[in-house]
Amino acid sequence: MRSRIRGRLRTWATVGAALVVVAGTAAAAPPRNADGGLPPEITEIMGKPAYRHAQWGLLEVDPADGRVVHSQYPDQFFMPGSTVKVITISGAWHALGPDRRFTTPVHAVGRLDGSTLTGNLALVAQGDLTMGGRTEPDGSVDFTPIDHTYANDIPGATLTPEDPLAGLDQIARQVRDAGITRVDGDVVIDARLFTPPPISPRPTPMIVNDNVIDLLSTPTAPGQPAQLTWRPQVAPYQVTSDVRTVEAGGTTDIQVSTSPDGTGISLTGTIAADSAPTLKISQVKDPDAFGRTALIEALGRAGVTVTAPPTGPNPDGALPADYDGDPQVAAYVSPPYRDYAKLILNVSHNLGANLALCNIATLHGSTNCFDGFPVIRDFLANTAQLDPTQFQMADGRGDVPVDRVTPAGLNQLLAYWLRTPDADAFRTSLPILGVSGTGALYCTGDDCPAKGKVFAKPGTIIGFDELNQQLAVNAQTYAGYLEAEDGHLFTFFVGVNGAAAPDIQGFFDVNDDVDQIAVVLQQEACAQHRSGHHA
C-alpha cells in the first residue's frame, strides 16, 4: 500500500496545484470561531474526521458595501498553494498591461551580399511563452482542461492541436521573405534578457513548447508495442519506446527516463488496450541549444541554408554587445498578456507564473527575476492600496514553504479588480466552476446550480506522512468570485491547512469538500441577494 500511495502522490485531481512534499502538516490550530455564522452544510463538512487536526479559513465579502458575509480567521496566514498565482498575475497584469505583446526579433549580424548573409542570425529571446503550440488562428492562446505540462503528474493531460514549432516556422519564413537564402555563418540564441532564477520550474528567455518534449503512447493489440508519437521533433533528440499493450482493464504505467543531457529519451511500461492515449513529457535541459537547432531546421524548411552544424551548444560567445546597425529581418509577436493570464490561471501554468516575475523585472530594466517582487509589492501597497504584509512570497507559483496568504488580503485584492476597467477580463481569466480550466473538474453536471457562477483559483500542497503512512493535505484553498443570479459579485476565500487522508481518494474528497463549500456559498449568495440583503 505504501509504495502504491507514494507512486500515485502525483496523480491527483486538482490540476496545477503546487505539490510540495514536506515533513509535517500545519501547526496545531487554536479553537475555531464560535461558528462564524456559517451554514450548517459548511460546518458539517468542516467537522469531518479528515479535519480533526486541521484549520479552516473562510472569508466572504460583498464588495459593493464591504459587508462581511462570513468570516473565520480572516487575518491569519494560510499555506495557499497555487492560489498565490492570483497575486503574481495581478502584479504582472498591472505592470505589463493586458494588451502587452512580446516581440522576439531576429537580427542579421554581418554582411549582406545579395541573398547571402556572411555572419550570424541572432534571435533575441524575450521570455515569450507562446512561441508555438498555443496560438490559435484567431491569435488567442489555446489550452486544454489538463495541461500537457502536468502529463507526468495527472492522468488525462492532453495536447493542443497547434504545432509547437509554429512560431519558429513563422520567423524562418520572414527571414526568407527578407531575401536571405543562405547564412554563411551560424544561428545564435541571445538569452541575455534575464538570468534564469533558482525556482522550479525555471523560467528561461527562450521557450519552445514550455521547454518539454511531448510523448504520446496509444495502445494497440494486447501483447504488441504501443504506438508512439512525439513532438516537437528536433535534432539531436531521439525517443525510443518499450511500452507494451496489455489486456483491457490492465495496468497503464509508463515511465520516462533520459540520457544525462536529456536528448535520449526512453519510455517503458504498459498501457491497457482500452486505455485512452497516454501523454508523458520530458524536460528540455538546454533551451538555448534546443531553440537554436529548432530555428536552423525551420530555416531549412523555409528554403534558407545555414552552413554551421545544426546541433551543438548555442554559440552565445559570438553575440555582439548590441544590434546597432544590424538589420532586423524577422520578428515573432505574441498574443496580448491578457491571454497569458488566462492560460496561467486556468491551467495553473507553473512555468508561466514564475516567468511573470522575470517579465516584470525585465520591464524595469533588471536581469534579476526576483526584482519583480518589489514591483508587485508596490502595486499591492500603492495601487491596490492594501497591506502587502498580508502575503509572503518567494516564487510566482506557490511552491515554496515561505508562501503564505491571509483570507482578508486575497479578498481585498479581488475587490480591487472589481473597481478597475479590467474587472470582467480579470474575473473571466480565472477558472470557471464546471466550465473551464481547473474549475471544469467539479460541478460539471446540469444539476449543479453553481455551474458557471464561481470564478476562482484553487491551490493544493500535498505530501506523504511517513509516520502515519497517509497523505498530508497541507493546503487545499480556493479564492475568487461568487456570482449571484443577477450578476452581483461577492469575493471569497475558503481553505484548509493540515488535513489528513488515508489514500488518494481521500485527497479527492478534501478537494471536493472545498469546492462544495464554494457551491454552498454561491447558492446562499443568490438567496440573500434575492431577499434584498445587499447594497
Side-chain angles (χ1 to χ4, degrees), residues 111-118:
R111 186 181 74 255
L112 278 169
D113 184 7
S115 62
T116 298
L117 169 64
T118 302

Side-chain angles (χ1 to χ4, degrees), residues 3-363:
S3 63
R4 186 160 66 249
I5 291 176
R6 290 173 115 181
R8 297 187 68 191
L9 254 180
R10 303 178 82 105
T11 57
W12 23 297
T14 303
V15 185
L19 175 65
V20 181
V21 178
V22 290
T25 57
R32 291 195 181 96
N33 300 5
D35 62 10
L38 298 178
E41 302 97 317
I42 293 179
T43 57
E44 183 178 352
I45 290 173
M46 292 180 172
K48 288 183 178 181
Y51 311 118
R52 184 159 60 98
H53 301 299
Q55 179 166 311
W56 283 91
L58 190 151
L59 181 62
E60 180 189 353
V61 178
D62 184 343
D65 58 5
R67 178 176 61 89
V68 175
V69 182
H70 295 298
S71 177
Q72 184 159 288
Y73 299 120
D75 299 312
Q76 186 163 314
F77 272 135
F78 285 85
M79 300 172 68
S82 285
T83 310
V84 155
K85 292 182 174 74
V86 173
I87 308 165
T88 307
I89 300 307
S90 290
W93 186 298
H94 179 263
L96 301 170
D99 298 320
R100 170 84 175 191
R101 296 176 187 265
F102 301 93
T103 298
T104 301
V106 177
H107 292 272
V109 182
R111 186 181 74 255
L112 278 169
D113 184 7
S115 62
T116 298
L117 169 64
T118 302
N120 300 327
L121 284 176
L123 182 150
V124 187
Q126 296 296 306
D128 183 0
L129 199 62
T130 60
M131 288 291 291
R134 292 283 188 194
T135 308
E136 297 191 78
D138 65 358
S140 61
V141 175
D142 198 7
F143 54 85
T144 63
I146 304 180
D147 193 65
H148 75 140
T149 54
Y150 287 99
N152 291 352
D153 302 331
I154 303 168
T158 54
L159 297 170
T160 59
E162 290 78 24
D163 182 0
L165 301 174
L168 295 178
D169 281 336
Q170 185 182 124
I171 286 172
R173 290 192 296 270
Q174 291 181 30
V175 172
R176 179 63 180 83
D177 291 345
I180 298 174
T181 61
R182 180 180 176 86
V183 178
D184 193 1
D186 215 328
V187 170
V188 191
I189 303 300
D190 185 341
R192 295 177 291 186
L193 183 68
F194 60 80
T195 301
I199 51 180
S200 178
R202 197 176 194 189
T204 54
M206 185 67 192
I207 300 171
V208 177
N209 199 45
D210 298 317
N211 289 341
V212 300
I213 305 294
D214 298 315
L215 312 161
L216 189 66
S217 298
T218 301
T220 56
Q224 298 300 308
Q227 178 186 353
L228 169 69
T229 57
W230 60 283
R231 71 176 205 182
Q233 297 195 12
V234 174
Y237 283 74
Q238 293 294 325
V239 183
T240 59
S241 175
D242 191 30
V243 176
R244 310 292 294 182
T245 306
V246 297
E247 68 280 357
T251 299
T252 296
D253 183 12
I254 299 174
Q255 304 298 319
V256 179
S257 59
T258 66
S259 60
D261 66 356
T263 63
I265 304 170
S266 299
L267 281 74
T268 57
T270 59
I271 184 169
D274 57 347
S275 171
T278 298
L279 182 65
K280 297 290 182 180
I281 57 172
S282 183
Q283 293 292 322
V284 171
K285 295 188 178 180
D286 189 340
D288 296 340
F290 184 86
R292 171 187 175 270
T293 297
L295 180 52
I296 291 174
E297 293 178 347
L299 288 164
R301 291 191 293 271
V304 180
T305 300
V306 178
T307 59
T311 60
N314 180 51
D316 52 9
L319 290 170
D322 56 53
Y323 296 97
D324 289 346
D326 299 321
Q328 179 178 303
V329 294
Y332 179 81
V333 181
S334 77
Y337 194 77
R338 70 176 78 244
D339 286 352
Y340 275 66
K342 191 169 187 177
L343 164 69
I344 294 166
L345 293 172
N346 261 266
V347 307
S348 205
H349 198 281
N350 291 324
L351 178 62
N354 283 342
L355 178 65
L357 299 173
C358 306
N359 296 145
I360 296 169
T362 58
L363 181 70

Side-chain angles (χ1 to χ4, degrees), residues 432-445:
I432 304 174
L433 189 68
V435 176
S436 68
T438 56
L441 300 175
Y442 188 80
C443 197
T444 56

